[in-house]
Amino acid sequence: MLQRSSDQPYQIQEEAPSPVVAGWQQPTVDLREMDRILRRRYKQVALPAVALVGLALAYVLAVSTLYTATSTVLVDPRRASVVETNQSVLSNFGTDDATIESQTLLIQSVAILDRVIRKLKLTDDVEFTPKPGFLDPIKRLFSSSSQGDGASPEDAARSRSVEILQKRMKVTRQGTTFLVDINVSSESPQKAATIANAIADAYFEEQVRAKYDATRIAATWLGGQINELKSRVGVSEKAVEDFRSANNLSVAQGVTVNDQQISDLNNKLIATRVQTAEARAKYDQVQEIAKSGADPGGIAAAISSDMITKLRTQYADIAKNEADLSSKYGARHPLVANVRAQLRDTQRLINDEIRRILDSTKHDYDVARSRETSLKQSLDQLQGISTSSGQAQVRLHELQREAEANRTLYESYLARSKETTAQESLEMPDSRIVAKASIPIRPSSPKTLLILGLAMMLGLGAGSVLAFLTDYLDDRVKTLERAEAISGVPALAALPSINARELAGRARRGRDELGRHDPRTMKLLPPALQPPLMRYAIDQPGTFFAEAIRAVRLALQRTMRLQPIKVVLVSSALDSEGKTTLAVNLAQSLATLGIRTLLIDGDLRNPQVTRALCPRAEIGLLEVALGRATLEQAILTDRSTGLSILPSTTVQEVEIITELMFSERIVDVLDHLRQRFELIIIDSPPSVPLVDGRALAELADRIVLALAWDQTPGEVFSHTIDLLAPVSDRILGTVLTQVDLNRLQFYDYYRSSAYLKPYAAAALNPGVAR
């Protein structure tokens, strides 16, 4: 339970380092310990959560309820134009993210919101009118300019309404799509929907206005450019005509007369040369036939001549007739002679025709050659004239190109101007509404559950961090293991605290005894008048408190069996750590076993034992040590327990106390008492602030250190052990006092009341331990 179960003296053994399995590391986070920390410091965990939830609840109750309406707009990059043109003045939107984000920011621009403010007259709406605040005078002191500088009251009011509207709206893009949501919050659901739709309409109007303005500006600029180009075209064309007249470069069908004549002569010369070549070929053929003596009738001209063809046909008919007549009448018949005369005449005609054809071939050749020579001479003459006017034509071509360029540019600008004029009155926005804002039926702000939930989570998180930090920084001793680790000696027991209400109730039971008590004759208070806590172990033997006292007694008895022990010093590091309660209850517990036990109040500066048990004592330890009284006169005996008590009277001279503790007189007193009593329990002064306790520790056989649970800092307790280093071998152990067993389960479950409740049903009263 609250004591060690071993029958052997406690020895701290060094733990042999356990072999670490390869690849395994000891965990650095103990989840059970973290759970215990949070449970034992639940107040610190809950306090920030309660505070934040309270603040969040106050905020939810104080803030205005807002409704959010959403209008969805599609930024359409594939918008179709009403008037098909080659290119718009303002091109359609691109499809990149930057363009969509730019349109998102444009919807929130001051120009669009100002249009909405004017349209809905929000400057007259109380919701969009700034409310005076406590910090307004301070803000005006630090503002760079006053309201009236350069702005009318109407403009200033609209500007403030625009700022409020910007805070009440949120424009977001749906993922990576072309859809943009316009969210507007207002205290009125109808107003939120109206404003959201008005912003979408104002956005479309701004798009149309921007395109209209750009188109109008472009049309005006194009008109000016057209007028300038028109005059330039007239000037350039007049320059061409003037230069052509000055240099006799008349044009017919797009070319000059001289060039046209050269072209015609050149064509005629080519045709004449072809005819000359044909005539010469015919003439050369005739000459070859004449030289060779061949039949000239075989030439192509003779063959193709109709006259010769007819004559030859006639000749063939006459020859046939001659043959018929010759076969019929004979060769000498007059008819045959007549036919033969016809044959000779026909042959003569054929020969004459052939000679005429031969003569005409030569004549045709001479005529063709003469014509070719004449055309060549005329062409050479015209080419000479063309060469002399070449520089003028180069300049003329330059003027013509310039005039043509001016004319082309003028026509292009004129066509573009007409397209722009047609487009000016037919501009369409590049976006369209996908879903108009509807009237919301549920408020969007404040999100009560979300705010309270976040406040709770943040509070619990902050509280947990605070609890871990506080527990980490808390160096107070709370477990027996912690006491053992610091002191190096066993922790004997945990002495629980007693309910103050119970102690008060037990104290009221002694009122009847108070009337029968005579302080002049009875130096020791009767049991009923003694503080209940000083007799709690023997009055309530079935409690955890009594069990803890018996655990200390058992450790002391175990040591007494092995070694001669007479003087046991009960001390503590600081005052009010329960050492007096421990010493008195331990002494009474030993006395009830029949052991001759003496309880000495060794705290001469603050005699708590004397003040609790025998406040009227006039003789004590100091008087005995100084030889002013005997032990028999000073020692008081409690008949109910058989415990002997050596009190300490109040001493005014502090230097006497210090000198006494280091004198041989106190040694002599203790030596004398060792012979009369089996065990002496000394309630010592605290060791850290006073040297008296350390001096008494030099005279004790064993030392029991009391330290208040959850009160004594580990550093102070460690310092106490260092101060008692010369007598460290005499320290029997430590006792945790004033332990709250219900809270102890969050530090040491197996020594808490939770673990001991099954054993407290009959003999123990679990309601007394706290």
Side-chain angles (χ1 to χ4, degrees):
M1 182 190 144
L2 301 178
Q3 74 267 16
R4 298 289 178 181
S5 59
S6 174
D7 292 336
Q8 300 299 326
Y10 179 85
Q11 294 182 357
I12 297 179
Q13 299 180 357
E14 297 183 358
E15 296 182 358
S18 59
V20 180
V21 181
W24 180 87
Q25 295 181 352
Q26 294 184 351
T28 57
V29 178
D30 190 346
L31 296 180
R32 288 179 296 181
E33 180 62 22
M34 293 175 64
D35 176 67
R36 287 194 291 267
I37 291 174
L38 295 178
R39 292 174 63 187
R40 64 177 175 250
R41 299 192 181 275
Y42 67 93
K43 293 182 179 180
Q44 293 178 342
V45 175
L47 182 60
V50 172
L52 287 180
V53 170
L55 293 176
L57 185 60
Y59 168 78
V60 169
L61 296 176
V63 74
S64 301
T65 302
L66 298 179
Y67 295 85
T68 300
T70 302
S71 177
T72 303
V73 174
L74 173 63
V75 180
D76 191 359
R78 296 172 295 274
R79 178 187 60 85
S81 300
V82 176
V83 178
E84 292 295 336
T85 59
N86 294 331
Q87 185 178 6
S88 301
V89 176
L90 287 181
S91 61
N92 295 342
F93 293 152
T95 59
D96 57 330
D97 292 341
T99 302
I100 307 301
E101 294 298 333
S102 299
Q103 295 303 309
T104 301
L105 296 177
L106 176 61
I107 296 175
Q108 309 173 62
S109 64
V110 175
I112 292 179
L113 298 186
D114 184 71
R115 188 188 298 268
V116 175
I117 295 294
R118 292 173 183 269
K119 180 179 180 181
L120 301 180
K121 298 181 180 179
L122 295 182
T123 52
D124 300 331
D125 194 331
V126 178
E127 185 178 353
F128 292 92
T129 302
K131 299 177 178 61
F134 295 104
L135 300 179
D136 288 347
I138 300 177
K139 292 180 179 179
R140 284 195 293 268
L141 290 177
F142 291 97
S143 62
S144 58
S145 61
S146 62
Q147 175 181 342
D149 293 345
S152 64
E154 294 78 6
D155 294 339
R158 283 198 305 272
S159 178
R160 290 191 293 267
S161 298
V162 167
E163 291 178 359
I164 295 175
L165 182 56
Q166 284 178 331
K167 295 177 182 178
R168 290 291 183 88
M169 68 176 295
K170 182 179 181 182
V171 181
T172 57
R173 179 184 180 188
Q174 295 185 9
T176 58
T177 65
F178 299 130
L179 295 177
V180 177
D181 291 333
I182 303 175
N183 305 293
V184 178
S185 299
S186 175
E187 297 176 3
S188 170
Q190 296 82 359
K191 189 189 303 180
T194 301
I195 295 176
N197 291 326
I199 292 176
D201 295 338
Y203 169 58
F204 299 150
E205 293 173 2
E206 179 65 20
Q207 284 187 346
V208 174
R209 185 199 61 79
K211 289 196 171 188
Y212 174 78
D213 292 344
T215 304
R216 182 167 50 82
I217 293 172
T220 303
W221 180 82
L222 285 173
Q225 294 295 317
I226 288 172
N227 294 332
E228 181 182 353
L229 288 173
K230 183 177 180 180
S231 62
R232 288 170 58 183
V233 168
V235 171
S236 60
E237 288 181 349
K238 187 176 181 301
V240 171
E241 295 299 328
D242 293 344
F243 186 83
R244 182 178 285 122
S245 299
N247 292 273
N248 195 20
L249 297 175
S250 300
V251 177
Q253 297 180 354
V255 295
T256 62
V257 175
N258 189 30
D259 290 341
Q260 187 175 4
Q261 290 177 352
I262 292 175
S263 178
D264 292 342
L265 286 176
N266 192 35
N267 292 333
K268 290 179 180 180
L269 178 61
I270 293 173
T272 301
R273 285 177 176 175
V274 171
Q275 293 175 1
T276 302
E278 291 179 354
R280 182 172 182 174
K282 291 179 181 180
Y283 178 73
D284 290 342
Q285 183 181 12
V286 170
Q287 292 298 323
E288 289 294 333
I289 291 174
K291 291 179 180 181
S292 61
D295 183 14
I299 62 175
I303 295 173
S304 61
S305 175
D306 293 336
M307 180 61 70
I308 293 177
T309 301
K310 291 179 180 180
L311 291 175
R312 284 181 176 177
T313 302
Q314 184 179 354
Y315 182 85
D317 293 338
I318 294 173
K320 181 179 179 183
N321 190 21
E322 178 192 8
D324 291 338
L325 292 176
S326 296
S327 62
K328 184 177 179 181
Y329 298 108
R332 295 183 179 273
H333 193 278
L335 291 175
V336 175
N338 188 24
V339 170
R340 287 179 178 174
Q342 290 179 359
L343 285 174
R344 287 191 297 271
D345 291 338
T346 302
Q347 182 64 42
R348 180 179 53 80
L349 291 174
I350 292 174
N351 293 334
D352 292 341
E353 184 64 24
I354 291 174
R355 282 194 297 270
R356 188 188 63 80
I357 290 174
L358 294 176
D359 293 339
S360 66
T361 301
K362 182 178 184 304
H363 178 265
D364 291 341
Y365 171 68
D366 292 338
V367 171
R369 188 172 58 182
S370 175
R371 185 180 179 186
E372 178 183 355
T373 303
S374 176
L375 290 174
K376 183 70 171 61
Q377 291 174 356
S378 299
L379 180 61
D380 293 340
Q381 182 180 2
L382 289 176
Q383 285 180 345
I385 296 174
S386 178
T387 302
S388 62
S389 62
Q391 296 298 328
Q393 289 182 350
V394 171
R395 176 58 182 164
L396 177 62
H397 292 162
E398 291 178 358
L399 294 176
Q400 288 176 338
R401 286 193 297 269
E402 182 178 357
E404 185 65 25
N406 290 335
R407 187 181 302 106
T408 302
L409 187 59
Y410 169 73
E411 292 174 353
S412 174
Y413 272 60
L414 185 61
R416 184 64 176 151
S417 177
K418 292 181 179 180
E419 292 176 358
T420 304
T421 303
Q423 208 175 30
E424 186 174 352
S425 59
L426 294 173
E427 287 293 350
M428 298 294 292
D430 291 321
S431 304
R432 60 185 176 88
I433 293 181
V434 175
K436 280 186 170 293
S438 58
I439 299 176
I441 59 176
R442 296 184 182 86
S444 60
S445 175
K447 299 183 182 298
T448 305
L449 295 179
L450 178 61
I451 293 175
L452 295 180
L454 288 177
M456 176 67 72
M457 293 177 61
L458 291 176
L460 292 177
S464 300
V465 173
L466 179 63
F468 288 129
L469 182 61
T470 303
D471 194 84
Y472 176 77
L473 298 177
D474 188 2
D475 191 40
R476 294 174 295 182
V477 179
K478 302 180 185 65
T479 62
L480 299 178
E481 284 77 7
R482 172 73 170 157
E484 291 177 354
I486 296 176
S487 63
V489 296
L492 303 178
L495 193 64
S497 60
I498 307 302
N499 192 342
R501 182 178 300 176
E502 180 191 358
L503 294 177
R506 296 182 62 84
R508 285 194 293 269
R509 299 174 189 173
R511 290 178 179 178
D512 297 338
E513 189 69 24
L514 183 61
R516 296 190 296 268
H517 174 64
D518 186 4
R520 291 173 297 178
T521 59
M522 300 179 63
K523 302 298 181 181
L524 184 65
L525 292 176
L529 295 181
Q530 294 178 7
L533 191 59
M534 296 300 175
R535 300 180 58 86
Y536 199 84
I538 59 175
D539 290 344
Q540 297 292 327
T543 60
F544 296 152
F545 187 95
E547 281 294 307
I549 295 297
R550 287 193 288 267
V552 179
R553 185 185 68 185
L554 177 61
L556 185 58
Q557 288 177 314
R558 186 184 302 125
T559 306
M560 291 173 61
R561 296 191 193 102
L562 301 177
Q563 299 174 1
I565 293 176
K566 287 288 186 177
V567 179
V568 177
L569 182 73
V570 179
S571 183
S572 64
L574 302 173
D575 193 16
S576 302
E577 291 197 77
K579 62 178 180 59
T580 300
T581 302
L582 173 61
V584 173
N585 282 274
L586 178 61
Q588 291 175 350
S589 179
L590 290 168
T592 55
L593 296 179
I595 300 175
R596 295 193 310 275
T597 306
L598 173 63
L599 174 62
I600 299 178
D601 190 352
D603 192 352
L604 302 181
R605 302 172 191 265
N606 185 21
Q608 292 289 342
V609 174
T610 303
R611 194 176 293 122
L613 302 180
C614 46
R616 297 288 182 172
E618 300 175 352
I619 302 174
L621 176 61
L622 180 62
E623 287 74 17
V624 173
L626 295 178
R628 299 174 185 175
T630 62
L631 288 174
E632 288 76 8
Q633 295 174 332
I635 294 176
L636 303 176
T637 303
D638 185 0
R639 296 179 181 178
S640 62
T641 59
L643 175 65
S644 299
I645 302 172
L646 179 57
S648 293
T649 57
T650 303
V651 180
Q652 301 297 332
E653 299 83 359
V654 179
E655 63 276 4
I656 296 178
I657 298 175
T658 304
E659 295 300 330
L660 176 63
M661 293 303 173
F662 288 92
S663 65
E664 292 296 329
R665 296 177 181 179
I666 195 68
V667 177
D668 295 339
V669 172
L670 289 178
D671 290 343
H672 185 68
L673 293 175
R674 286 174 185 269
Q675 298 176 3
R676 296 184 55 180
F677 295 94
E678 297 181 46
L679 194 61
I680 300 172
I681 306 297
I682 301 177
D683 180 22
S684 167
S687 301
V688 174
L690 301 175
V691 74
D692 303 352
R694 283 171 268 167
L696 288 175
E698 300 282 349
L699 305 177
D701 298 328
R702 286 292 181 272
I703 301 171
V704 177
L705 293 177
L707 62 154
W709 180 83
D710 199 19
Q711 297 180 32
T712 305
E715 184 178 0
V716 174
F717 184 52
S718 178
H719 180 57
T720 303
I721 298 299
D722 294 339
L723 294 176
L724 297 176
V727 292
S728 59
D729 57 332
R730 305 180 191 179
I731 300 177
L732 179 65
T734 60
V735 177
L736 284 179
T737 62
Q738 306 174 24
V739 177
D740 186 344
L741 293 181
N742 290 328
R743 290 177 56 199
L744 184 63
Q745 64 179 322
F746 301 129
Y747 298 93
D748 191 351
Y749 178 82
Y750 300 105
R751 293 184 176 86
S752 64
S753 61
Y755 184 68
L756 299 174
K757 282 181 181 178
Y759 303 97
L764 302 180
N765 182 10
V768 302
R770 294 183 64 224

